[in-house]
Amino acid sequence: MKKEFSNNFNFKFDKKLQSSFYSSNYFIKSKKIVSKFQPNNIVWQQFCSMNSEPFMVCGIEECVKLIKNTLPKNILNQIKVYGVKDGQIVKAKQPILIIIGKYQHFAFLENIIDGILARRSSVANNCYQLLKIVPSNKIIFMADRSDDYLLQPYDGYAAYVGGIRNFVTDASVSLIKDKKSLNINGTIPHALIQIFDGNLSKTIQAYQNVYGKNKTVALIDYHNNVKKEIIELKKKITDLFAIRIDTSKNLVDASLPDKKENYGVSDNLIKLARKTLDQVGWKNTKIIISSSLNLDRIKQIINKKIPADIFGVGASLNKLNLNITGDLVIKNNKHQAKFGRQLFIDPKKIDKILNRYI
């Protein structure tokens, strides 16, 4: 599986990268030692994952542009860079990026490239795995609350490569040039309901007064009584695209018996919401669920045919679960590598296996 993402991203780089500000100290020291004692060797540095399962790669385009933005032109003319494409599925131990040249020229970038590829590939692969079972139009990327805000543009870029098209912040799509297929979605926060003294109908009326009635979504778990909230809401609101249920996993909605299987956004709560919506005449109103959703939970909901229509997914999508390692594997055309980290492809076939970037 290959996708073309070249030139669709506006990557920006901190100038401190050039001064090794973000580089591990031992790479800086290694650069100095190599420059003094072993300056003329041509090495191959291979970046790959020892992950046992195939995964989607992301971050290659960013790494290539990182190299171009941090190395002087005279150095760039002395190195070669090969890699797979962003969005490509690779097997364990398959090289995803290879840099060929004098080690002292690019040694300081190793940990930075490791980190970029690990983070971006983890997010892209998490999204890709989710979209194997759920169409993209049924997923909202809501990972903005679960990590450093400065990572929103990069997580959003990786999610986009993984197939996500619905986001909640402008920052999440800021690196993507072509935004035609993207949507910035929003419901209402619990805070807005609080401002209106817990009156959801007044909250929605105010929302529609400012933003219109198109695709209004009501967050209905504020009082922990989903059934009652839907019934009360129908008395005042005529147009409602969807409801969102965000009940904490530590609570049981007042509409249900206090049993273990009813905690959080349970199967029974979703079924009850659907039944109530149908009873009040909102048969076309969608159900959006959120709160601690992950791949396994969504699989359960789909397999059991629980009537949830859209999933707001957060922390599980930016979970770091892939490690990328960079290793020197060839020195002056001879294999030389740490045990177990040898070059995993035929060097004579590199032009057929990988794409030439630099």
Side-chain angles (χ1 to χ4, degrees):
M1 177 182 177
K2 289 188 178 182
K3 296 180 181 179
E4 292 292 339
F5 293 104
S6 299
N7 302 316
N8 194 27
F9 302 107
N10 294 306
F11 297 115
K12 299 177 181 179
F13 298 100
D14 191 329
K15 291 183 179 180
K16 291 179 181 178
L17 285 162
Q18 296 175 325
S19 63
S20 303
F21 181 74
Y22 296 99
S23 301
S24 296
N25 184 261
Y26 49 82
F27 291 133
I28 299 172
K29 291 178 177 178
S30 295
K31 174 182 176 180
K32 189 171 184 179
I33 293 169
V34 171
S35 296
K36 183 175 182 179
F37 295 104
Q38 296 280 338
N40 299 314
N41 299 295
I42 301 299
V43 299
W44 291 38
Q45 185 163 40
Q46 168 184 262
F47 292 86
C48 67
S49 174
M50 308 306 285
N51 187 54
S52 59
E53 300 293 330
F55 67 95
M56 176 177 280
V57 176
C58 185
I60 299 297
E61 296 284 347
E62 185 179 354
C63 288
V64 170
K65 291 184 179 180
L66 166 74
I67 293 168
K68 289 181 177 179
N69 276 269
T70 53
L71 300 185
K73 287 185 178 180
N74 65 311
I75 299 300
L76 286 173
N77 292 333
Q78 300 178 51
I79 68 169
K80 296 178 182 179
V81 177
Y82 293 86
V84 300
K85 294 287 187 180
D86 279 347
Q88 187 172 333
I89 307 301
V90 302
K91 298 178 181 179
K93 297 184 180 181
Q94 179 180 337
I96 60 177
L97 188 72
I98 290 178
I99 305 174
I100 303 173
K102 294 182 178 180
Y103 182 64
Q104 64 267 32
H105 289 165
F106 54 84
F108 70 103
L109 292 177
E110 181 173 331
N111 66 299
I112 298 164
I113 292 174
D114 282 343
I116 289 173
L117 293 175
R119 176 79 184 198
R120 312 297 180 257
S121 295
S122 289
V123 174
N125 191 60
N126 291 338
C127 295
Y128 167 70
Q129 296 299 333
L130 179 58
L131 295 182
K132 281 183 177 181
I133 62 170
V134 186
S136 181
N137 63 353
K138 292 190 174 184
I139 298 294
I140 304 174
F141 187 76
M142 300 178 71
D144 54 295
R145 293 189 177 193
S146 58
D147 216 333
D148 189 329
Y149 73 95
L150 293 174
L151 290 170
Q152 285 185 32
Y154 301 96
D155 288 344
Y157 142 65
Y160 174 83
V161 171
I164 297 294
R165 295 297 180 267
N166 296 312
F167 299 87
V168 296
T169 74
D170 291 331
S172 295
V173 302
S174 60
L175 295 180
I176 304 166
K177 292 181 182 178
D178 184 5
K179 295 181 173 60
K180 294 178 182 178
S181 64
L182 306 181
N183 297 301
I184 305 296
N185 298 296
T187 58
I188 58 172
H190 294 103
L192 188 60
I193 302 173
Q194 189 266 1
I195 293 293
F196 284 87
D197 297 318
N199 190 315
L200 181 59
S201 296
K202 288 184 178 180
T203 306
I204 296 299
Q205 287 172 336
Y207 180 92
Q208 291 182 336
N209 179 268
V210 176
Y211 292 104
K213 296 182 179 180
N214 185 42
K215 290 196 172 184
T216 305
V217 179
L219 182 57
I220 63 167
D221 61 279
Y222 186 86
H223 295 290
N224 199 43
N225 195 325
V226 163
K227 181 178 180 178
K228 182 179 178 181
E229 199 75 89
I230 292 173
I231 294 171
E232 291 299 315
L233 194 60
K234 184 63 170 66
K235 295 176 182 178
K236 302 289 185 180
I237 305 298
T238 57
D239 299 290
L240 194 65
F241 170 71
I243 60 168
R244 178 161 75 94
I245 311 172
D246 191 52
T247 305
S248 169
K249 61 183 179 181
N250 299 316
L251 295 173
V252 174
D253 189 274
S255 307
L256 297 172
D258 189 358
K259 295 181 179 180
K260 182 179 180 180
E261 63 268 23
N262 289 333
Y263 275 80
V265 186
S266 66
D267 295 351
N268 289 332
L269 184 58
I270 300 169
K271 290 177 182 178
L272 178 63
R274 180 72 271 160
K275 181 180 179 180
T276 308
L277 287 169
D278 292 346
Q279 287 175 340
V280 301
W282 273 339
K283 293 185 178 182
N284 295 321
T285 298
K286 306 293 184 183
I287 296 177
I288 301 173
I289 63 171
S290 52
S291 185
S292 304
L293 288 178
N294 56 33
L295 180 63
D296 290 338
R297 173 59 179 144
I298 294 173
K299 279 183 179 179
Q300 290 176 357
I301 291 171
I302 292 172
N303 291 338
K304 292 195 290 189
K305 298 182 179 180
I306 306 301
D309 299 294
I310 301 171
F311 304 91
V313 192
S316 65
L317 290 182
N318 60 16
K319 184 178 180 181
L320 187 63
N321 47 31
L322 289 170
N323 291 316
I324 305 297
T325 180
D327 297 286
L328 296 187
V329 292
I330 286 184
K331 175 185 174 185
N332 298 329
N333 295 318
K334 293 182 180 180
H335 286 273
Q336 178 62 253
K338 173 186 174 180
F339 183 84
R341 299 290 177 83
Q342 70 274 12
L343 181 65
F344 294 117
I345 61 170
D346 183 345
K348 295 179 182 179
K349 296 181 180 180
I350 188 171
D351 287 295
K352 295 181 180 180
I353 298 172
L354 300 174
N355 305 284
R356 175 78 182 271
Y357 284 99
I358 297 176

